[in-house]
Amino acid sequence: MADLRLIYGFHAVTSRIRQNPEGVMEIYLQSQRQDQRMRDLIALAELSGVRVIPVDSARLDGMAGGARHQGVAARVDAARRVQHLSDVLETLTEPPLLLVLDGIQDPHNLGACLRSADAFGVHAVIAPKDRAVGITATVEKVACGAAETVPYITVTNLARTLRELKDQGIWVVGAAGEAKQDLHSFKHTGPLAIVLGAEGEGLRRLTMETCDELVRIPMLGSVESLNVSVSTGICLFEARRQRSVLA
């Protein structure tokens, strides 16, 4: 039996239909909304063979739990198409660039991290199954489709997974405020996994000890730290910038 859940918002629903139409059971559209954006979505759903169900705004509000749904929701199969990192690594034609998130709890932060991962060509995002938010409807909406385009792989033991990455020749670099080396002076354009910690707590001790190297983002102002999704964007941008210089 399929593991069904609800996603909502134009970006999340449109991306799911384009990427995996067979995983979309049905979409619910606010019957009062008849603008061009809605008509385009209906045409895409019909072309993809997805059932369209018009509903009133009150029902959509209830389905989305009061979240801002934009008049669109969909019931989808929650099974992820990519389950193992090896499925990703075996298909790459360039050195892997991976993002490892050590226990992100806030769905808005995870969604924003996925958007950055998509923007900078990350091949997969790795996160622990426990003590982490996972992919939710809020994550999918904030990610604006990136939850469908970037493989999100959960693991039972993050430290063990990092050691396995190192065994495969992937350099594991953690972002930590206490690191002596700053991000810009760090030079590595080969196989790379960038590790960022949870909101407030940062990297867990075992995760930090497992990294090959630690780097910090240079801070010139009075604030001591950045939001994890902002830090993710900065680190991924620098990794891609270094690769493009050598390309």
Side-chain angles (χ1 to χ4, degrees):
M1 180 179 292
D3 178 15
L4 300 181
R5 62 183 172 86
L6 192 76
I7 64 173
Y8 48 83
F10 272 99
H11 282 297
V13 173
T14 300
S15 180
R16 175 58 72 99
I17 294 175
R18 287 175 175 164
Q19 296 290 331
N20 185 22
E22 65 275 10
V24 183
M25 305 300 105
E26 54 201 12
I27 63 173
Y28 303 87
L29 305 179
Q30 185 175 314
S31 55
Q32 297 94 326
R33 184 166 177 172
Q34 302 292 333
D35 56 89
Q36 186 61 50
R37 196 177 191 189
M38 185 67 81
R39 291 195 293 272
D40 290 343
L41 179 56
I42 292 173
L44 176 63
E46 292 177 344
L47 183 64
S48 304
V50 177
R51 183 186 180 197
V52 176
I53 303 176
V55 297
D56 59 33
S57 57
R59 183 179 178 190
L60 270 178
D61 290 342
M63 294 172 68
R68 190 162 175 258
H69 49 70
Q70 301 177 301
V72 179
R75 200 168 301 281
V76 302
D77 186 348
R80 311 303 296 173
R81 287 175 292 167
V82 176
Q83 300 293 338
H84 302 288
L85 184 59
S86 59
D87 296 335
V88 176
L89 298 180
E90 291 172 358
T91 66
L92 299 183
T93 57
E94 66 171 340
L97 176 59
L98 308 175
L99 173 63
V100 182
L101 300 174
D102 186 15
I104 303 300
Q105 301 285 339
D106 188 324
H108 293 87
N109 278 339
L110 178 56
C113 288
L114 290 172
R115 288 182 70 175
S116 292
D118 177 87
F120 296 113
V122 167
H123 299 116
V125 175
I126 302 170
K129 289 183 179 178
D130 299 325
R131 297 180 61 188
V133 62
I135 302 296
T136 67
T138 299
V139 171
E140 294 228 22
K141 185 173 186 296
V142 174
C144 293
E148 297 304 317
T149 58
V150 181
Y152 183 79
I153 299 167
T154 57
V155 297
T156 55
N157 188 313
L158 187 60
R160 182 174 62 204
T161 298
L162 294 179
R163 289 192 291 269
E164 291 172 352
L165 293 179
K166 294 163 69 171
D167 290 341
Q168 296 179 66
I170 298 173
W171 198 252
V172 177
V173 178
E178 60 268 38
K180 294 182 179 180
Q181 182 172 208
D182 73 52
L183 179 65
H184 302 311
S185 63
F186 166 72
K187 302 299 180 185
H188 192 83
T189 56
L192 179 65
I194 299 176
V195 190
L196 288 104
E199 306 89 349
E201 301 176 5
L203 296 176
R204 287 180 290 175
R205 180 188 58 81
L206 185 57
T207 301
M208 188 178 298
E209 292 175 352
T210 309
C211 291
D212 290 305
E213 195 165 0
L214 298 176
V215 297
R216 60 178 172 80
I217 296 173
M219 305 285 286
L220 303 179
S222 59
V223 298
E224 296 182 354
S225 63
L226 297 171
N227 178 282
V228 63
S229 62
V230 174
S231 297
T232 294
I234 293 172
C235 292
L236 293 178
F237 171 83
E238 179 60 18
R240 274 297 172 189
R241 185 194 68 81
Q242 290 192 21
R243 291 188 177 201
S244 66
V245 168
L246 295 181

